[in-house]
Amino acid sequence: MAIVGLGPGPADWMTPEAGSAIAAASDIVGYGPYLERLSLKPAQRAHASDNRAEFDRGRLALMLAAEGRAVAVVSGGDPGVFAMAAAVFEAIEDMPTWRALDVSVVPGVSAMQAAAARLGAPLGHDFCAISLSDNLKPWWIVERRLKAAAEGDFVIAIYNPASKARPTRIVDAFDLMRGVKNAATPVAFARAVGRADEALTLTTLGAADPSLADMATLVIIGSSETRFIARDGAPPWMLTPRSYGAQR
Amino acid sequence: MAIVGLGPGPADWMTPEAGSAIAAASDIVGYGPYLERLSLKPAQRAHASDNRAEFDRGRLALMLAAEGRAVAVVSGGDPGVFAMAAAVFEAIEDMPTWRALDVSVVPGVSAMQAAAARLGAPLGHDFCAISLSDNLKPWWIVERRLKAAAEGDFVIAIYNPASKARPTRIVDAFDLMRGVKNAATPVAFARAVGRADEALTLTTLGAADPSLADMATLVIIGSSETRFIARDGAPPWMLTPRSYGAQR
């Protein structure tokens, strides 16, 4: 069984290993829109599921694999970064007989990396990745991590900034960040990178309207070293340099 | 000009976009061993340089691009993660005429993601990436970030744990971590993932011998939720679950 990262959207960002793993599978399990990206052969069976049912999807994939099917579980981005790999291994942990299955993870380009590529080099130095989803963790640990990330002066990449059920998590996060970081800190909202409706918004912590972030948005908040490089007739580049404290 | 991520080593982990960007270049600039991975056409010119000269390499690439050459700067892993993108944009920042050049970044699978794929799902939840290199930043900011990452109970991915000049940075980092995190915290040393000499070592913070880490090693230190899933006749999986505080 393979847990496969499709990358952020375009086929150009999917690795050959991911393509081979999907081609070799009899059964492909995943969130419906991810399955729609694939060109499956008539003999291949697609098992589409809702986006929120990650754990159930992992269990389904493992049940099929235990029956001897050649299974690929597909994930957008990298399956190891806020995606299917953890859900599958949680299911394996719960069911000792599944520990004997042959499971591999096929890495992919994550949404954070695609966003960074479009922006310049915002993750050019030490960074954190934090999901604001509080479906499976208490909000206090999100707050503790945001504060610690600010205290460490990391660049902060925020996944799942908002959901239909909780649209204001990112507003709460910005309120917290504004209390501890400089208002001039560069911020980027990168929406649907690699898709037709891709949109990049560059702003600052003080000026940002975080309520614009939706489920498809990746938010990057800079460190004290992050800056914009202005350009004529084009949006600025966002750079976090490799040096710290202007040692260069 | 394109700043291109080759992924961690095998061609199977290089995206089609990266392959196209290299094929379209007249001049390919990079660290020698990365250039050796590529099958260049006779008309393509390779500019090999030393690993440490990132800024000079970025300047060379920009000078060639300013002369009208079609340039690809290649990086191992993802150019946005402790690699060439930041060096190139620092050079652009220094030289206003270069801001008019057409520059794109082609993302790739990073070493951290390749290591995570081999280990299971160690980055399954919030995480930090920290480089221990103190060539361009003072050691106090590394210490501050390690402490903040522990305070936030992040999974910590450590790049550049040691160099020939400073082989003991990772030993200092472990000393610091042992003072603030549980000795039973799972730790992985992932060396040369995807290459012939790939080696994975699973241990705990208390039992680890950090002096084994070299320049080709990516170190992952778990959060309080990270655990090993034991298997018969195979190394355990490393899992950081999506839930926090056993809410699942």
Side-chain angles (χ1 to χ4, degrees), chain A residues 152-197:
Chain A
D153 198 16
F154 287 96
V155 175
I156 306 171
I158 295 181
Y159 279 77
N160 306 314
S163 70
K164 279 179 192 161
R166 281 287 307 276
T168 61
R169 288 190 300 239
I170 188 67
V171 177
D172 299 337
F174 267 69
D175 285 347
L176 192 158
M177 287 289 107
R178 285 171 174 148
V180 287
K181 287 176 74 82
N182 195 305
T185 304
V187 165
F189 294 85
R191 190 176 181 288
V193 172
R195 305 212 303 258
D197 52 341

Side-chain angles (χ1 to χ4, degrees), chain B residues 102-122:
Chain B
D102 182 22
V103 178
S104 63
V105 180
V106 176
V109 172
S110 68
M112 170 173 71
Q113 295 169 289
R118 289 289 199 256
L119 294 164

Side-chain angles (χ1 to χ4, degrees), chain A:
Chain A
M1 177 173 137
I3 309 167
V4 180
L6 302 181
D12 235 20
W13 279 346
M14 188 170 91
T15 67
E17 187 184 41
S20 302
I22 291 161
S26 61
D27 293 71
I28 296 97
V29 177
Y31 174 46
Y34 296 146
L35 295 178
E36 284 163 21
R37 285 192 208 164
L38 308 173
S39 305
L40 300 182
K41 290 167 284 192
Q44 291 184 301
R45 206 170 143 194
H47 305 261
S49 66
D50 187 72
N51 192 23
R52 297 176 53 155
E54 289 183 338
F55 187 70
D56 293 341
R57 203 184 306 150
R59 284 178 55 88
L60 169 64
L62 288 158
M63 281 189 275
L64 291 166
E67 288 169 8
R69 310 286 296 171
V71 182
V73 186
V74 298
S75 232
D78 181 346
V81 176
F82 305 119
M84 280 304 297
V88 170
F89 286 103
E90 286 167 31
I92 289 173
E93 189 180 39
D94 277 1
M95 184 72 83
T97 57
W98 285 344
R99 298 186 191 185
L101 292 171
D102 182 23
V103 178
S104 64
V105 180
V106 176
V109 171
S110 69
M112 169 173 72
Q113 294 169 289
R118 289 289 199 256
L119 294 164
L123 306 178
H125 207 252
D126 307 326
F127 64 91
C128 293
I130 304 180
S131 166
L132 293 198
S133 172
D134 57 357
N135 290 335
L136 292 164
K137 64 182 171 186
W139 184 252
W140 67 258
I141 186 71
V142 178
E143 287 186 326
R144 178 173 151 193
R145 284 178 171 161
L146 288 167
K147 280 179 197 161
E151 168 54 31
D153 198 16
F154 287 96
V155 175
I156 306 171
I158 295 181
Y159 279 77
N160 306 314
S163 70
K164 279 179 192 161
R166 281 287 307 276
T168 61
R169 288 190 300 239
I170 188 67
V171 177
D172 299 337
F174 267 69
D175 285 347
L176 192 158
M177 287 289 107
R178 285 171 174 148
V180 287
K181 287 176 74 82
N182 195 305
T185 304
V187 165
F189 294 85
R191 190 176 181 288
V193 172
R195 305 212 303 258
D197 52 341
E198 174 174 323
L200 304 176
T201 304
L202 300 175
T203 180
T204 61
L205 186 59
D209 178 1
S211 70
L212 294 177
D214 67 3
M215 286 182 289
T217 306
L218 191 285
V219 182
I220 299 180
I221 301 175
S223 75
S224 67
E225 295 279 326
T226 305
R227 53 228 190 197
F228 290 126
I229 305 172
R231 290 189 292 165
D232 282 339
W237 295 117
M238 187 173 181
L239 167 65
T240 306
R242 300 160 304 148
S243 57
Y244 197 88
Q247 285 213 324
R248 175 154 61 89

Side-chain angles (χ1 to χ4, degrees), chain B residues 35-99:
Chain B
L35 295 178
E36 283 163 23
R37 286 191 205 165
L38 308 173
S39 305
L40 300 181
K41 290 167 284 190
Q44 291 184 302
R45 204 169 146 197
H47 304 261
S49 66
D50 187 73
N51 192 22
R52 295 177 54 155
E54 289 183 338
F55 187 71
D56 292 341
R57 201 185 307 149
R59 284 178 55 87
L60 170 64
L62 288 158
M63 280 189 276
L64 291 165
E67 288 168 8
R69 310 286 298 171
V71 182
V73 186
V74 298
S75 231
D78 181 346
V81 177
F82 305 120
M84 280 303 297
V88 170
F89 287 102
E90 286 168 30
I92 288 173
E93 188 180 41
D94 277 1
M95 183 72 82
T97 58
W98 285 343
R99 298 186 190 184

